[in-house]
Amino acid sequence: MKLYDLILQNTALTFIDAATGVTKNIKDLHGSLDIGEQAGLVFVYSDNTIGAIEVFLNFLKGPWTLALLSSQLNGEFKQQLEEAYQPYCIYDPSRAEVKGYTAYAASASITLLRKEKLPDYTVTTNIKLLLSTSGTTGTPKFVKLSEENLLQNALSILDYMPIQNDDVVPLNVPIVFVYGLSVLTTNCLRGGTIVCTDKDVLQKSFWEDFEKYGFTTLSGVPYVYEMLHRIGFFKKARLSLRYMTQTGGILNEALIKAIVDYSEQYRVRFYAQYGQTEAAGRMAYLKPEDLLRKGASIGLPIKGGRFTIDPDRGELVYYGKNVFGGYASGREDLATYDDSEVLYTGDIARRDKEGYYYITGRIKRIMKLFGTRLNLDEVELILKNNLGGATFICTGIEDRCLSIVHMDKELDDEAIKKVLKEKLNLHASSLRVRYMEEVPLTPNGKIDYRQTKELIQA
């Protein structure tokens, strides 16, 4: 059974476009575009609006290979990607024409761009989806995912996620990122109403839509929940809200307590999850009832998956049918799909006596300071836990000093240095503390460490 076939069986599935109010049932979108049945490569520049979702579902239905890309990519990056991969078809509402492509009306509201004939390179039918590893920088590197990868991960998530056919779900995480994509696919399989939106939870207009449509769930990375905590979100009841989901990092202790208190008071379940693009989404989750007791843990493997820890490197290794088929850096890489069920995550981990797993850092987020090995993710968590749950961004500057950025104007720099001296024995001379009112974010709401580091060094 294909993912799309199961989606089509969900007759309750309805899409609302937040910008226009246009409403369409899954039956309205089934075969709604004139796209043919070729097995070619399609670039979909998505903005999470209903048009992009309609295009995605129509191409998902057929034998096509889809590359999901951010609509925010600049023109130069788009051109570089299109030259590298030569897609047969392009969906990009921001451009009326592209050299080498002809515009045609796939429906009354959707215009596509396509070549006169299919390119002469091979795309294996094992590759159903390509997801970028960079987001908005235009790198040609993609993760290759199969139909089986997508289906198995969606079914594994449905095994624990309490999705119902009367849910009203906002697509507040871009579907070009695997987290947003998994929100879309799982709710397409079992949910009720999906509100297509390009707004995020830090915009006032999002909360206007929240009240208008009665959202039953929210999704976000740790930074998003830190900001919600900061603005007092967890002090007010939202009657329609039934559950929340999170992935993308570890929650600090103050935030966990606030979430647990909120959950118990208003009966809102909170699901912390762990995943990577290379695993088509999720690899582990933490049960809501374990959040206070095991809050720093990623929890247990999803159904059908398992973990081991490499004894030499301390690296977390995942096994499951949702593991990707390799990377693509150009169209020549689309001829093959490496069928593997093993993923070396790049995360350093430990396992407790009850079988719960904990991420203690990234292999690449390690620096040496005067010969001392520092895990930057761990340093951030120490600061958050000892200074009231505030947001901290730690980066290493050429292994000469540790840079700490915070967003609390009232926080004394010396208090930060004191914690690091007491906990890690770091001398104040090796620390650079800086306050920033706002920090750069990636399009999926995570801290953009590269841009933050550039701002510090500017």
Side-chain angles (χ1 to χ4, degrees), residues 169-415:
V169 182
L171 290 183
N172 60 289
V173 181
I175 68 165
V176 301
F177 298 103
V178 76
Y179 183 22
L181 179 67
S182 69
V183 171
L184 173 64
T185 56
T186 53
N187 280 279
C188 279
L189 287 171
R190 189 179 289 172
T193 300
I194 295 177
V195 179
C196 306
T197 179
D198 58 359
K199 303 167 187 174
D200 64 52
V201 298
L202 301 180
Q203 293 177 279
K204 181 182 177 182
S205 52
F206 176 86
W207 296 105
E208 292 171 352
D209 286 342
F210 188 106
E211 297 299 326
K212 179 179 179 180
Y213 295 111
F215 295 158
T216 58
T217 183
L218 284 178
S219 305
V221 295
Y223 177 80
V224 168
Y225 286 108
E226 289 172 10
M227 292 300 101
L228 290 178
H229 187 205
R230 188 177 173 187
I231 64 175
F233 172 85
F234 297 111
K235 295 178 180 179
K236 179 183 176 182
R238 269 84 182 176
L239 297 181
S240 63
L241 190 62
R242 200 165 55 77
Y243 73 97
M244 296 181 284
T245 70
Q246 171 262 325
T247 191
I250 302 170
L251 301 172
N252 67 72
E253 290 174 358
L255 182 56
I256 289 171
K257 187 177 186 310
I259 291 171
V260 170
D261 289 346
Y262 181 84
S263 298
E264 291 178 349
Q265 184 173 0
Y266 299 113
R267 293 189 172 185
V268 176
R269 294 172 71 78
F270 189 92
Y271 291 83
Q273 303 167 102
Y274 167 74
Q276 292 182 359
T277 306
E278 289 85 349
R282 310 281 72 81
M283 291 182 278
Y285 74 101
L286 187 64
K287 296 177 181 178
E289 55 268 28
D290 287 332
L291 185 59
L292 188 61
R293 189 173 68 95
K294 301 278 189 179
S297 171
I298 62 171
L300 303 169
I302 60 171
K303 185 178 180 179
R306 66 182 179 90
F307 289 124
T308 61
I309 297 177
D310 185 282
D312 298 319
R313 292 158 55 91
E315 183 178 5
L316 187 67
V317 184
Y318 175 78
Y319 302 81
K321 293 184 180 298
N322 50 318
V323 174
F324 76 134
Y327 297 103
S329 296
R331 57 185 179 273
E332 64 278 0
D333 295 324
L334 301 183
T336 59
Y337 175 90
D338 303 321
D339 201 355
S340 172
E341 295 186 9
V342 184
L343 174 63
Y344 285 80
T345 65
D347 286 323
I348 302 167
R350 66 178 178 87
R351 181 179 183 270
D352 71 11
K353 293 180 180 179
E354 295 180 67
Y356 288 73
Y357 288 84
Y358 295 76
I359 302 299
T360 58
R362 289 286 293 173
I363 290 175
K364 292 182 180 179
R365 287 269 292 156
I366 301 293
M367 72 170 290
K368 279 191 175 181
L369 193 59
F370 301 118
T372 301
R373 190 171 182 268
L374 286 180
N375 182 322
L376 296 176
D377 295 316
E378 193 173 42
V379 175
E380 287 181 357
L381 193 59
I382 288 170
L383 289 170
K384 290 177 182 180
N385 288 342
N386 285 274
L387 294 168
T391 297
F392 291 93
I393 302 99
C394 293
T395 58
I397 301 179
E398 297 178 354
D399 287 349
R400 290 184 292 104
C401 68
L402 173 64
S403 170
I404 306 105
V405 172
H406 66 93
M407 301 172 65
D408 186 348
K409 189 180 290 186
E410 305 302 318
L411 186 59
D412 183 19
D413 290 357
E414 293 305 314

Side-chain angles (χ1 to χ4, degrees), residues 18-32:
T20 63
V22 169
T23 300
K24 295 185 178 183
N25 183 267
I26 184 60
K27 297 294 185 182
D28 300 324
L29 300 184
H30 177 61
S32 61

